[in-house]
Amino acid sequence: MHLYIVEGIIAFILIYLLIFYRKIVKPMDTIGYGMELLREQDFSSRLSQVGRYEADRIVNIFNRMMEQLKSERLHMCEQNHFLDLLIQASPMGLVITSLDGDVSQLNPMAVKMLGVRPEEAMDRKLENIDSPLAAELAAIPKDKTAVVRLNDANIYKCTHSSFIDRGFKHSFYLVERMTDEVMRAEKRAYEKVIRMIAHEVNNTTAGITSTLDTVEQVLSTEEGMEDICDVMRVCTERCFSMSRFITRFADVVKIPEPTVAPVQLNDLVSMCKRFMEGMCNDRNIILRLDCDPAVGTVRLDTSLFEQVLVNIIKNAAESIEGAAGETGKQGEIIVRTTAPASIEVVDNGPGISKEAEAKLFSPFFSTKPNGQGIGLVFIREVLSRHGCTFSLRTYKDGLTRFRILFG
């Protein structure tokens, strides 16, 4: 009897343990396994039902939650991938900074606009990057937009804003290139003004010179009229000078489309150097040439590009000559070519002020007292039509460099 009683108690305990395991332990183990899946962010696994109504409700809710988390995660990954592709292909520059203000991300267009290599900008503050655009971005207050005109004739619309990531605000800069639109608007405006002025001036001077010639011919037959005839000739020559002056402005808007052909860049630069040597010698300026033998051929319009180089060297010489009495140092201009295909004209003149840099390529702006403000506009038009990138600025070493990079 005692044995039966003991066996009965053991059987009862086993049945009780089985029921306890199925009702309590197994659901708790299942829920614990689900917590491990959540901790490991494994949203693809699912829990099996345990046969208990209360526990199975939790299992079903958990499985629906995991399915939704998986779907949201997949959707977020697809959106992030699309956003990354959009940022990389965007025609707008994007610069993202960290909480400390260091550059943490750049898209390819931002790298091109800044004009630096990615490693030269990453993990640096904008003001410490050797780029005029970076310095302008650093000066823009948060949540403000500014239009920036640089010394390479480019115009940018820059916006400083922020976004929240993991609860913290990160600053970012959007840079939109507006150069083409502004240049087209400027060109339409000054084309109209120049043509109207040229038409009126040429018509007026034509009538005046014709009248002066007639009066001079009549007076030349009279005695004692030599002085008046000389005055007439001076007035006539002045009218012709005025006509030539306004024609130069009109020529800017009639630049022909370049007829490009393969040209040895070093040969072209050497020819321009020989052409300008006499003018530089007359002004006691040393003109040197530094050619890289690795530079090959470049497709360009020879006649237009020769005029560009002549204008650049002439401007550098006039800048040095204007400050010769102030500095007292030997003027020097270096024309340098470097591979793969670029030209740099360096001069040790007085330099360009920060205020003037942004206006250099604007129509009718000149730093020279008697300048007309069309030389750099002509250079800008020709280089833009050749697809070149260029800049003109005075660097920290005191030298002024006009850099031309062929695309």
Side-chain angles (χ1 to χ4, degrees):
M1 180 64 70
H2 290 88
L3 181 60
Y4 288 129
I5 293 172
V6 170
E7 289 179 350
I9 293 172
I10 293 173
F12 174 78
I13 292 173
L14 291 175
I15 294 172
Y16 176 80
L17 289 176
L18 179 63
I19 295 173
F20 180 81
Y21 172 78
R22 292 187 59 188
K23 286 188 175 183
I24 307 297
V25 177
K26 187 175 181 181
M28 293 301 295
D29 286 344
T30 301
I31 294 172
Y33 177 65
M35 295 302 103
E36 289 296 327
L37 293 178
L38 283 176
R39 185 180 296 110
E40 295 174 3
Q41 297 186 3
D42 181 5
F43 301 141
S44 60
S45 299
R46 300 292 182 269
L47 299 180
S48 300
Q49 294 186 350
V50 296
R52 303 299 303 173
Y53 176 75
E54 294 81 3
D56 288 347
R57 286 181 59 192
I58 297 175
V59 169
N60 290 333
I61 293 173
F62 179 87
N63 287 339
R64 287 199 300 271
M65 180 184 70
M66 294 290 278
E67 183 67 31
Q68 187 173 358
L69 287 174
K70 179 183 177 182
S71 177
E72 291 292 334
R73 187 179 191 179
L74 180 61
H75 182 63
M76 289 293 295
C77 289
E78 291 173 346
Q79 280 192 331
N80 288 337
H81 180 62
F82 173 72
L83 184 60
D84 287 339
L85 292 177
L86 189 63
I87 290 174
Q88 295 300 312
S90 173
M92 299 177 64
L94 176 64
V95 181
I96 300 176
T97 60
S98 64
L99 295 176
D100 297 328
D102 299 331
V103 174
S104 59
Q105 186 176 346
L106 292 164
N107 71 339
M109 183 55 67
V111 173
K112 182 178 179 180
M113 290 175 172
L114 291 174
V116 297
R117 294 191 299 271
E119 57 269 21
E120 295 175 347
M122 293 298 294
D123 301 322
R124 292 188 180 184
K125 298 188 183 300
L126 285 170
E127 54 267 25
N128 295 333
I129 300 174
D130 186 18
S131 166
L133 179 58
E136 295 290 345
L137 291 177
I140 300 176
K142 186 170 287 187
D143 300 324
K144 296 293 183 181
T145 299
V147 176
V148 176
R149 185 188 289 263
L150 298 182
N151 53 13
D152 56 358
N154 282 318
I155 303 168
Y156 300 100
K157 180 182 178 182
C158 307
T159 302
H160 182 186
S161 189
S162 61
F163 67 96
I164 296 178
D165 181 29
R166 297 181 179 89
F168 296 97
K169 276 191 174 184
H170 294 256
S171 291
F172 73 94
Y173 298 84
L174 279 178
V175 185
E176 180 181 2
R177 192 172 185 267
M178 302 175 61
T179 308
D180 296 336
E181 293 81 357
V182 174
M183 282 187 177
R184 280 195 293 267
E186 285 182 349
K187 190 173 182 180
R188 285 194 298 268
Y190 68 69
E191 275 182 356
K192 185 175 180 180
V193 172
I194 289 174
R195 284 171 178 163
M196 181 181 65
I197 294 175
H199 175 76
E200 295 298 326
V201 170
N202 288 333
N203 286 347
T204 302
T205 55
I208 293 174
T209 54
S210 177
T211 303
L212 290 174
D213 284 340
T214 302
V215 173
E216 182 188 351
Q217 290 175 8
V218 172
L219 294 179
S220 62
T221 60
E222 301 291 334
E223 294 183 1
M225 293 295 178
E226 290 79 6
D227 292 341
I228 296 178
C229 289
D230 289 340
V231 173
M232 293 291 183
R233 283 191 288 272
V234 170
C235 292
T236 302
E237 181 59 32
R238 181 59 186 143
C239 288
F240 283 130
S241 298
M242 177 64 71
S243 181
R244 288 192 296 269
F245 174 80
I246 198 63
T247 300
R248 289 191 63 199
F249 280 105
D251 289 341
V252 175
V253 300
K254 295 188 294 186
I255 299 174
E257 286 297 324
T259 304
V260 298
V263 176
Q264 287 288 341
L265 191 59
N266 286 341
D267 294 344
L268 176 66
V269 172
S270 299
M271 185 169 56
C272 291
K273 187 254 184 183
R274 287 195 299 270
F275 178 73
M276 297 300 292
E277 267 183 330
M279 185 203 72
C280 290
N281 291 334
D282 292 341
R283 303 183 183 195
N284 194 28
I285 297 173
I286 299 174
L287 180 60
R288 294 200 295 112
L289 185 63
D290 183 10
C291 289
D292 186 349
V295 176
T297 61
V298 178
R299 294 184 62 83
L300 51 81
D301 187 309
T302 303
S303 60
L304 286 177
F305 224 88
E306 283 178 352
Q307 190 62 39
V308 165
L309 287 178
V310 166
N311 278 346
I312 294 174
I313 297 172
K314 178 174 174 288
N315 287 342
E318 290 175 349
S319 172
I320 294 173
E321 184 185 34
E326 300 175 10
T327 60
K329 61 183 178 182
Q330 174 67 56
E332 184 179 26
I333 300 174
I334 303 173
V335 183
R336 180 180 295 121
T337 62
T338 54
S342 65
I343 301 174
E344 184 179 67
V345 180
V346 186
D347 71 79
N348 62 348
I352 304 168
S353 66
K354 292 295 181 182
E355 294 75 16
E357 273 188 3
K359 305 175 184 177
L360 286 175
F361 294 93
S362 301
F364 315 126
F365 174 82
S366 177
T367 57
K368 293 178 284 191
N370 299 318
Q372 301 168 11
I374 62 173
L376 288 178
V377 175
F378 171 81
I379 292 171
R380 182 190 75 179
E381 291 289 334
V382 173
L383 293 181
S384 298
R385 295 186 188 192
H386 280 81
C388 299
T389 56
F390 54 94
S391 65
L392 173 59
R393 59 184 286 212
T394 300
Y395 289 77
K396 294 179 180 179
D397 57 6
L399 299 178
T400 301
R401 294 177 171 86
F402 198 122
R403 288 176 171 171
I404 303 172
L405 180 64
F406 294 87

